[in-house]
Amino acid sequence: MHVFETLRGRTRLRLRATPGDLAFEGLSTFIALAVVGLLVLITVILYLAAAESIRTYGLGFLSGSVWDSVSQRFGAAPFIYGMLVTSALALLLGVPVSLGIAIFLSELSPAWLRIPLTFIVELLAAVPSVVYGLWGIFILGPAMRVYIEPGVQAVLGFLPLFQGHPIGSDVFTAGVILAIMIIPTISAVSREALLAVPDSQREAALSLGATRWETTRLGVLRYARAGIFGAAILGLGRAVGETMAVTMTIGNRAAFFGSLFEPGQTIASQIASRWLDAVPPLELGALIQLGLVLMLVSLFINLFARLMVGRFLRVGEGAE
Amino acid sequence: MHVDKISAWYGPKLAIQDISLDFEEHSVSGIIGPSGCGKSTLIRCLNRMHETIPKAKVEGQVLLDGQDIYDQPAVSVRRRIGMVFQKPNPFPTMSIYDNVAAGLRLNGVRERKKLDVAVLESLKQAALWDEVKDSLDKSGSSLSGGQQQRLCIARALAVRPEVLLMDEPCSALDPIATAKIEDLIFDLKKDYTLVIVTHNMQQAARVAETTAFMYLGKLIEVGRTRELFERPREALTESYITGRFG
C-alpha cells in the first residue's frame, strides 16, 4: 500500500517496511549520525592533545605575543591578529568585486551570458588552493612587489599600514589571494540573494523614476542586505581557515606586523609551517591548541552565516 | 494625456492592439475588462514600465502635454507619471518616512525640512497621516495591507507627478481598506489625473468619470461611466457588464 505524504513541499513515498528496508534505514541513519559523532570526536581529541598546553598557558595563550621554542613560551595573539587582518583585507577587496559580479549576473547580464559566466565564477572555487599558492609565489608576489605595492604606497604611503619596503611575500599579498579565493563563494550566495528579491521591489523603484543603478540600490540591494551580509560572513569563514595559499604567500614570520608590507602569519599558516619542526610535547600541544581555537572560530562564523543566509532566502521566497 | 495607436508585445505575443484613448485632466478614468484583456499592459505602457520586461515591445505614441513620452528619457517620464501596483510593495527595509521620501531623494532632495514637509503632505493626501504620525520610523512592512497600499500611494505622490496610474490597487485588499482607497481616489482627482485599472466593475462605476472597456487586447468602447454602464453601444460591452462573461 502506498501512502503519499507531503512534508515541507516534498512528496515522500512510504512503503510498508520490509527487513531490507529497515536495515537500509538503520544504516543510513547511523552514517548520518556518525558525522555528528566525528565532529565531537575531533574536538575531544584536539582538546586532549592540547591538554598540557592548555594547562600551562590557560587563557593567557590567546593574549601571549611570543612564540619561542627555546624559552618554551607560546602565545596565539600574533596569529589571531594575522588571521583577522588578512581576512578583513580579503573581505574589503573581495566583497565589492563579488557584489559587482552578483549584480551583473542577476540584474544586468544578457541571458545568453548568464549561465556561462556563473559557471566560470563558480569554477574559481574549484582551483586547488595550492595552485593559488603557486600563482601567488611566482606571479602575484613579484607583481605586488614591483608594481602594485609601490603604487599603493605612492597614494596611501602616509598611513603606517602601507609603510616599509615592499617585499611581495607579505600580508598584503596573502590578503589579495584570499580575496580572490572567497569571490566565488560570496558572489554565488549574493546572487542567490539578489534573485530572491521579488520583481515588485524593482518595479517600485522604477516607477519612482529610478535609473538602473538606483533601482538596484533601492529596490534590490537594500532588500537583500541580510543575504549579502550572510554571504560575506560565509566568505569570511573560508578566509579564516584557508591554509595552503596563505602559508605560501604570507612570508611566515611569527610576530606582530605594523605594515601590510611585512611578513606575518595566520593561525592556519602558523600550524602548517611549524608542525614539522614543533618540539613535543609543549610546542606541539600549543599548535594543536591553535587548531582548536581556529576550529571554534570557524565553526561559529559558518553557523552564523548559514543562519543569516537561510533565514533571508526563506523570507525572500515567502515575500513573492 | 492622449494615447495614440499603442500596440504592445511580450516577445512574439501581441498583448494590446492599436489602442487610442484620451484621459481627461483632473478626473478619474477607469479601464475594465476580463483577466488577460490587456488592461494592465495598457496602463504599463503609459509610464514606460512595460518595456522593463525582457523582450517586451511597444509601438505608438503617448502624448503628455502634447509631447510623446517615448521621445523622452524613461526615467524622467516615470517621475511625471507615478504608479501604484496591484500588490502593495513598500520597501520593507525602510521606515515609513524613508519610503515616502525615497522618490524625492532620488531627485536629489537632501534638505531635511523639504523632506519633512513633503512626507507630511503626501501622507495626508494619502489619508494615512493620522494612522502613522507617531510611528514614522517604523518599518513600512509593519503596516496592514490597506495601509501599505496607501503608503505606496503617498510614496508615488511625494514626487508630485502629473498623472497617477493605479493597476488594480484594491485587488489585494479587504472591503474596508478598499472603501478607504476609493474615497482617497475621489479626493485625489482635484490635484491629479488618475487612471485606474480594475476588474471590479462596481469599483469603476463608483470612482471613474469615464470608463474604457477592453477585450482580447482591443479597446471595445469608451465613454462617460454612467452611459457606458446604462446604455452601452457595443453588444460585447453589454454582455460583460451584465455578467454574461468575464
mmCIF file of all heavy atoms in Angstrom, chain A residues 233-272:
data_model
loop_
_atom_site.group_PDB
_atom_site.id
_atom_site.type_symbol
_atom_site.label_atom_id
_atom_site.label_comp_id
_atom_site.label_asym_id
_atom_site.label_seq_id
_atom_site.Cartn_x
_atom_site.Cartn_y
_atom_site.Cartn_z
ATOM 1 N N ILE A 233 29.863 36.789 5.347
ATOM 2 C CA ILE A 233 30.321 36.032 6.515
ATOM 3 C C ILE A 233 30.743 34.627 6.098
ATOM 4 O O ILE A 233 31.712 34.066 6.599
ATOM 5 C CB ILE A 233 29.214 35.954 7.592
ATOM 6 C CG1 ILE A 233 28.793 37.360 8.015
ATOM 7 C CG2 ILE A 233 29.694 35.181 8.808
ATOM 8 C CD1 ILE A 233 29.868 38.155 8.699
ATOM 9 N N LEU A 234 30.009 34.071 5.134
ATOM 10 C CA LEU A 234 30.386 32.753 4.613
ATOM 11 C C LEU A 234 31.775 32.823 3.985
ATOM 12 O O LEU A 234 32.603 31.921 4.157
ATOM 13 C CB LEU A 234 29.354 32.313 3.569
ATOM 14 C CG LEU A 234 28.911 30.869 3.582
ATOM 15 C CD1 LEU A 234 28.347 30.475 4.915
ATOM 16 C CD2 LEU A 234 27.899 30.625 2.493
ATOM 17 N N GLY A 235 32.028 33.892 3.241
ATOM 18 C CA GLY A 235 33.360 34.105 2.667
ATOM 19 C C GLY A 235 34.402 34.270 3.752
ATOM 20 O O GLY A 235 35.509 33.729 3.668
ATOM 21 N N LEU A 236 34.029 34.977 4.808
ATOM 22 C CA LEU A 236 34.931 35.160 5.940
ATOM 23 C C LEU A 236 35.313 33.800 6.528
ATOM 24 O O LEU A 236 36.476 33.547 6.835
ATOM 25 C CB LEU A 236 34.258 36.029 7.011
ATOM 26 C CG LEU A 236 35.041 36.257 8.298
ATOM 27 C CD1 LEU A 236 36.279 37.081 8.025
ATOM 28 C CD2 LEU A 236 34.176 36.945 9.347
ATOM 29 N N GLY A 237 34.322 32.923 6.636
ATOM 30 C CA GLY A 237 34.577 31.584 7.157
ATOM 31 C C GLY A 237 35.631 30.861 6.339
ATOM 32 O O GLY A 237 36.493 30.166 6.873
ATOM 33 N N ARG A 238 35.566 31.075 5.030
ATOM 34 C CA ARG A 238 36.541 30.419 4.180
ATOM 35 C C ARG A 238 37.913 31.081 4.346
ATOM 36 O O ARG A 238 38.936 30.409 4.415
ATOM 37 C CB ARG A 238 36.081 30.512 2.719
ATOM 38 C CG ARG A 238 37.000 29.727 1.840
ATOM 39 C CD ARG A 238 36.440 29.289 0.513
ATOM 40 N NE ARG A 238 37.490 28.465 -0.088
ATOM 41 C CZ ARG A 238 37.774 28.440 -1.367
ATOM 42 N NH1 ARG A 238 37.078 29.153 -2.214
ATOM 43 N NH2 ARG A 238 38.746 27.678 -1.811
ATOM 44 N N ALA A 239 37.944 32.405 4.425
ATOM 45 C CA ALA A 239 39.215 33.126 4.524
ATOM 46 C C ALA A 239 39.943 32.783 5.817
ATOM 47 O O ALA A 239 41.160 32.602 5.834
ATOM 48 C CB ALA A 239 38.963 34.631 4.450
ATOM 49 N N VAL A 240 39.181 32.657 6.898
ATOM 50 C CA VAL A 240 39.770 32.394 8.209
ATOM 51 C C VAL A 240 40.520 31.065 8.223
ATOM 52 O O VAL A 240 41.590 30.947 8.787
ATOM 53 C CB VAL A 240 38.644 32.412 9.269
ATOM 54 C CG1 VAL A 240 39.061 31.686 10.515
ATOM 55 C CG2 VAL A 240 38.266 33.836 9.590
ATOM 56 N N GLY A 241 39.949 30.071 7.573
ATOM 57 C CA GLY A 241 40.538 28.744 7.640
ATOM 58 C C GLY A 241 41.504 28.429 6.514
ATOM 59 O O GLY A 241 42.202 27.422 6.560
ATOM 60 N N GLU A 242 41.543 29.270 5.484
ATOM 61 C CA GLU A 242 42.379 28.970 4.320
ATOM 62 C C GLU A 242 43.842 28.856 4.742
ATOM 63 O O GLU A 242 44.372 29.721 5.419
ATOM 64 C CB GLU A 242 42.212 30.057 3.251
ATOM 65 C CG GLU A 242 43.115 29.883 2.059
ATOM 66 C CD GLU A 242 43.110 28.469 1.491
ATOM 67 O OE1 GLU A 242 42.020 27.880 1.393
ATOM 68 O OE2 GLU A 242 44.193 27.957 1.180
ATOM 69 N N THR A 243 44.487 27.763 4.329
ATOM 70 C CA THR A 243 45.820 27.465 4.837
ATOM 71 C C THR A 243 46.903 27.533 3.777
ATOM 72 O O THR A 243 47.833 28.326 3.845
ATOM 73 C CB THR A 243 45.827 26.058 5.457
ATOM 74 O OG1 THR A 243 44.740 25.971 6.361
ATOM 75 C CG2 THR A 243 47.128 25.803 6.176
ATOM 76 N N MET A 244 46.767 26.687 2.761
ATOM 77 C CA MET A 244 47.882 26.456 1.843
ATOM 78 C C MET A 244 48.322 27.744 1.140
ATOM 79 O O MET A 244 49.489 28.129 1.201
ATOM 80 C CB MET A 244 47.450 25.413 0.798
ATOM 81 C CG MET A 244 48.601 24.702 0.171
ATOM 82 S SD MET A 244 49.516 23.812 1.438
ATOM 83 C CE MET A 244 51.151 23.954 0.759
ATOM 84 N N ALA A 245 47.381 28.410 0.503
ATOM 85 C CA ALA A 245 47.750 29.587 -0.288
ATOM 86 C C ALA A 245 48.317 30.683 0.605
ATOM 87 O O ALA A 245 49.245 31.396 0.220
ATOM 88 C CB ALA A 245 46.530 30.104 -1.049
ATOM 89 N N VAL A 246 47.783 30.787 1.825
ATOM 90 C CA VAL A 246 48.271 31.814 2.740
ATOM 91 C C VAL A 246 49.682 31.473 3.215
ATOM 92 O O VAL A 246 50.584 32.313 3.212
ATOM 93 C CB VAL A 246 47.313 31.971 3.943
ATOM 94 C CG1 VAL A 246 47.894 32.929 4.970
ATOM 95 C CG2 VAL A 246 45.967 32.479 3.478
ATOM 96 N N THR A 247 49.866 30.216 3.593
ATOM 97 C CA THR A 247 51.200 29.787 4.053
ATOM 98 C C THR A 247 52.257 30.081 2.995
ATOM 99 O O THR A 247 53.375 30.481 3.292
ATOM 100 C CB THR A 247 51.183 28.272 4.353
ATOM 101 O OG1 THR A 247 50.064 27.994 5.174
ATOM 102 C CG2 THR A 247 52.458 27.844 5.061
ATOM 103 N N MET A 248 51.880 29.898 1.737
ATOM 104 C CA MET A 248 52.863 30.069 0.655
ATOM 105 C C MET A 248 53.156 31.531 0.324
ATOM 106 O O MET A 248 54.156 31.833 -0.300
ATOM 107 C CB MET A 248 52.364 29.336 -0.606
ATOM 108 C CG MET A 248 52.401 27.807 -0.457
ATOM 109 S SD MET A 248 51.433 26.960 -1.712
ATOM 110 C CE MET A 248 52.590 26.895 -3.061
ATOM 111 N N THR A 249 52.265 32.434 0.743
ATOM 112 C CA THR A 249 52.462 33.821 0.308
ATOM 113 C C THR A 249 52.675 34.829 1.434
ATOM 114 O O THR A 249 53.075 35.954 1.168
ATOM 115 C CB THR A 249 51.225 34.309 -0.494
ATOM 116 O OG1 THR A 249 50.057 34.062 0.286
ATOM 117 C CG2 THR A 249 51.111 33.605 -1.824
ATOM 118 N N ILE A 250 52.410 34.452 2.667
ATOM 119 C CA ILE A 250 52.363 35.487 3.709
ATOM 120 C C ILE A 250 53.732 35.823 4.286
ATOM 121 O O ILE A 250 53.893 36.813 4.998
ATOM 122 C CB ILE A 250 51.362 35.082 4.817
ATOM 123 C CG1 ILE A 250 50.933 36.305 5.635
ATOM 124 C CG2 ILE A 250 51.952 34.004 5.716
ATOM 125 C CD1 ILE A 250 49.754 36.067 6.549
ATOM 126 N N GLY A 251 54.750 35.012 3.970
ATOM 127 C CA GLY A 251 56.099 35.355 4.430
ATOM 128 C C GLY A 251 56.515 34.653 5.717
ATOM 129 O O GLY A 251 57.681 34.615 6.062
ATOM 130 N N ASN A 252 55.553 34.100 6.442
ATOM 131 C CA ASN A 252 55.802 33.256 7.610
ATOM 132 C C ASN A 252 56.738 33.867 8.657
ATOM 133 O O ASN A 252 57.829 33.355 8.907
ATOM 134 C CB ASN A 252 56.359 31.883 7.188
ATOM 135 C CG ASN A 252 55.550 31.288 6.050
ATOM 136 O OD1 ASN A 252 56.004 31.264 4.921
ATOM 137 N ND2 ASN A 252 54.351 30.843 6.335
ATOM 138 N N ARG A 253 56.323 34.924 9.264
ATOM 139 C CA ARG A 253 57.073 35.413 10.416
ATOM 140 C C ARG A 253 56.129 35.485 11.607
ATOM 141 O O ARG A 253 55.100 36.171 11.556
ATOM 142 C CB ARG A 253 57.665 36.792 10.146
ATOM 143 C CG ARG A 253 58.772 37.120 11.174
ATOM 144 C CD ARG A 253 59.304 38.503 10.989
ATOM 145 N NE ARG A 253 58.259 39.489 11.275
ATOM 146 C CZ ARG A 253 58.417 40.794 11.058
ATOM 147 N NH1 ARG A 253 59.520 41.252 10.516
ATOM 148 N NH2 ARG A 253 57.435 41.631 11.357
ATOM 149 N N ALA A 254 56.517 34.758 12.668
ATOM 150 C CA ALA A 254 55.614 34.602 13.803
ATOM 151 C C ALA A 254 55.679 35.798 14.728
ATOM 152 O O ALA A 254 56.159 35.695 15.847
ATOM 153 C CB ALA A 254 55.944 33.313 14.563
ATOM 154 N N ALA A 255 55.232 36.940 14.239
ATOM 155 C CA ALA A 255 55.261 38.135 15.089
ATOM 156 C C ALA A 255 54.206 39.122 14.616
ATOM 157 O O ALA A 255 53.660 38.977 13.516
ATOM 158 C CB ALA A 255 56.639 38.778 15.034
ATOM 159 N N PHE A 256 53.927 40.101 15.443
ATOM 160 C CA PHE A 256 53.017 41.164 15.021
ATOM 161 C C PHE A 256 53.644 41.933 13.870
ATOM 162 O O PHE A 256 54.868 42.012 13.749
ATOM 163 C CB PHE A 256 52.769 42.128 16.190
ATOM 164 C CG PHE A 256 51.806 41.602 17.203
ATOM 165 C CD1 PHE A 256 52.245 41.280 18.488
ATOM 166 C CD2 PHE A 256 50.476 41.423 16.885
ATOM 167 C CE1 PHE A 256 51.356 40.788 19.427
ATOM 168 C CE2 PHE A 256 49.592 40.937 17.828
ATOM 169 C CZ PHE A 256 50.033 40.615 19.104
ATOM 170 N N PHE A 257 52.793 42.516 13.033
ATOM 171 C CA PHE A 257 53.304 43.371 11.965
ATOM 172 C C PHE A 257 52.571 44.701 12.041
ATOM 173 O O PHE A 257 51.414 44.763 12.458
ATOM 174 C CB PHE A 257 53.107 42.720 10.594
ATOM 175 C CG PHE A 257 51.720 42.167 10.394
ATOM 176 C CD1 PHE A 257 50.697 42.980 9.923
ATOM 177 C CD2 PHE A 257 51.439 40.840 10.699
ATOM 178 C CE1 PHE A 257 49.423 42.481 9.755
ATOM 179 C CE2 PHE A 257 50.152 40.342 10.538
ATOM 180 C CZ PHE A 257 49.144 41.149 10.067
ATOM 181 N N GLY A 258 53.279 45.771 11.662
ATOM 182 C CA GLY A 258 52.650 47.086 11.710
ATOM 183 C C GLY A 258 52.189 47.509 10.335
ATOM 184 O O GLY A 258 51.223 48.246 10.179
ATOM 185 N N SER A 259 52.883 47.016 9.317
ATOM 186 C CA SER A 259 52.558 47.379 7.947
ATOM 187 C C SER A 259 52.101 46.134 7.194
ATOM 188 O O SER A 259 52.533 45.018 7.492
ATOM 189 C CB SER A 259 53.798 47.964 7.268
ATOM 190 O OG SER A 259 53.664 47.890 5.868
ATOM 191 N N LEU A 260 51.225 46.345 6.221
ATOM 192 C CA LEU A 260 50.771 45.208 5.410
ATOM 193 C C LEU A 260 51.877 44.695 4.502
ATOM 194 O O LEU A 260 51.764 43.622 3.921
ATOM 195 C CB LEU A 260 49.566 45.623 4.556
ATOM 196 C CG LEU A 260 48.313 46.039 5.317
ATOM 197 C CD1 LEU A 260 47.207 46.424 4.339
ATOM 198 C CD2 LEU A 260 47.836 44.914 6.223
ATOM 199 N N PHE A 261 52.944 45.495 4.376
ATOM 200 C CA PHE A 261 54.058 45.062 3.521
ATOM 201 C C PHE A 261 55.096 44.277 4.305
ATOM 202 O O PHE A 261 56.211 44.095 3.858
ATOM 203 C CB PHE A 261 54.714 46.287 2.858
ATOM 204 C CG PHE A 261 53.775 47.055 1.962
ATOM 205 C CD1 PHE A 261 54.054 48.361 1.590
ATOM 206 C CD2 PHE A 261 52.614 46.480 1.475
ATOM 207 C CE1 PHE A 261 53.186 49.077 0.767
ATOM 208 C CE2 PHE A 261 51.742 47.178 0.648
ATOM 209 C CZ PHE A 261 52.026 48.484 0.294
ATOM 210 N N GLU A 262 54.727 43.842 5.498
ATOM 211 C CA GLU A 262 55.627 42.992 6.282
ATOM 212 C C GLU A 262 55.106 41.566 6.238
ATOM 213 O O GLU A 262 53.921 41.338 6.052
ATOM 214 C CB GLU A 262 55.627 43.457 7.752
ATOM 215 C CG GLU A 262 56.427 44.711 8.024
ATOM 216 C CD GLU A 262 56.271 45.131 9.481
ATOM 217 O OE1 GLU A 262 56.293 44.253 10.367
ATOM 218 O OE2 GLU A 262 56.099 46.343 9.721
ATOM 219 N N PRO A 263 56.003 40.605 6.438
ATOM 220 C CA PRO A 263 55.535 39.223 6.539
ATOM 221 C C PRO A 263 54.794 39.016 7.847
ATOM 222 O O PRO A 263 55.012 39.755 8.811
ATOM 223 C CB PRO A 263 56.818 38.395 6.496
ATOM 224 C CG PRO A 263 57.892 39.330 6.930
ATOM 225 C CD PRO A 263 57.464 40.707 6.530
ATOM 226 N N GLY A 264 53.921 38.032 7.864
ATOM 227 C CA GLY A 264 53.161 37.741 9.073
ATOM 228 C C GLY A 264 52.813 36.271 9.118
ATOM 229 O O GLY A 264 53.479 35.447 8.475
ATOM 230 N N GLN A 265 51.778 35.939 9.850
ATOM 231 C CA GLN A 265 51.367 34.552 9.992
ATOM 232 C C GLN A 265 49.928 34.534 10.483
ATOM 233 O O GLN A 265 49.544 35.349 11.321
ATOM 234 C CB GLN A 265 52.293 33.886 11.015
ATOM 235 C CG GLN A 265 52.367 32.396 10.943
ATOM 236 C CD GLN A 265 53.203 31.849 9.805
ATOM 237 O OE1 GLN A 265 52.885 32.023 8.637
ATOM 238 N NE2 GLN A 265 54.292 31.186 10.118
ATOM 239 N N THR A 266 49.121 33.637 9.923
ATOM 240 C CA THR A 266 47.780 33.447 10.468
ATOM 241 C C THR A 266 47.789 32.184 11.310
ATOM 242 O O THR A 266 48.794 31.455 11.317
ATOM 243 C CB THR A 266 46.730 33.274 9.359
ATOM 244 O OG1 THR A 266 47.009 32.055 8.668
ATOM 245 C CG2 THR A 266 46.763 34.439 8.372
ATOM 246 N N ILE A 267 46.700 31.904 12.005
ATOM 247 C CA ILE A 267 46.646 30.674 12.803
ATOM 248 C C ILE A 267 46.925 29.477 11.898
ATOM 249 O O ILE A 267 47.780 28.643 12.175
ATOM 250 C CB ILE A 267 45.262 30.506 13.478
ATOM 251 C CG1 ILE A 267 45.024 31.615 14.493
ATOM 252 C CG2 ILE A 267 45.187 29.145 14.158
ATOM 253 C CD1 ILE A 267 43.733 31.470 15.270
ATOM 254 N N ALA A 268 46.202 29.441 10.780
ATOM 255 C CA ALA A 268 46.321 28.287 9.889
ATOM 256 C C ALA A 268 47.733 28.170 9.327
ATOM 257 O O ALA A 268 48.311 27.074 9.279
ATOM 258 C CB ALA A 268 45.304 28.415 8.754
ATOM 259 N N SER A 269 48.306 29.292 8.901
ATOM 260 C CA SER A 269 49.623 29.202 8.278
ATOM 261 C C SER A 269 50.703 28.899 9.312
ATOM 262 O O SER A 269 51.697 28.249 9.013
ATOM 263 C CB SER A 269 49.940 30.504 7.524
ATOM 264 O OG SER A 269 50.209 31.551 8.426
ATOM 265 N N GLN A 270 50.499 29.338 10.539
ATOM 266 C CA GLN A 270 51.454 29.008 11.599
ATOM 267 C C GLN A 270 51.459 27.499 11.850
ATOM 268 O O GLN A 270 52.509 26.879 11.939
ATOM 269 C CB GLN A 270 51.100 29.763 12.888
ATOM 270 C CG GLN A 270 51.881 29.349 14.128
ATOM 271 C CD GLN A 270 53.362 29.733 14.061
ATOM 272 O OE1 GLN A 270 53.807 30.351 13.108
ATOM 273 N NE2 GLN A 270 54.123 29.342 15.071
ATOM 274 N N ILE A 271 50.269 26.918 11.918
ATOM 275 C CA ILE A 271 50.197 25.466 12.134
ATOM 276 C C ILE A 271 50.878 24.748 10.979
ATOM 277 O O ILE A 271 51.735 23.877 11.170
ATOM 278 C CB ILE A 271 48.727 24.994 12.255
ATOM 279 C CG1 ILE A 271 48.068 25.642 13.470
ATOM 280 C CG2 ILE A 271 48.667 23.484 12.360
ATOM 281 C CD1 ILE A 271 46.572 25.381 13.562
ATOM 282 N N ALA A 272 50.534 25.164 9.754
ATOM 283 C CA ALA A 272 51.056 24.463 8.583
ATOM 284 C C ALA A 272 52.567 24.603 8.458
ATOM 285 O O ALA A 272 53.245 23.683 8.028
ATOM 286 C CB ALA A 272 50.376 24.993 7.320
#
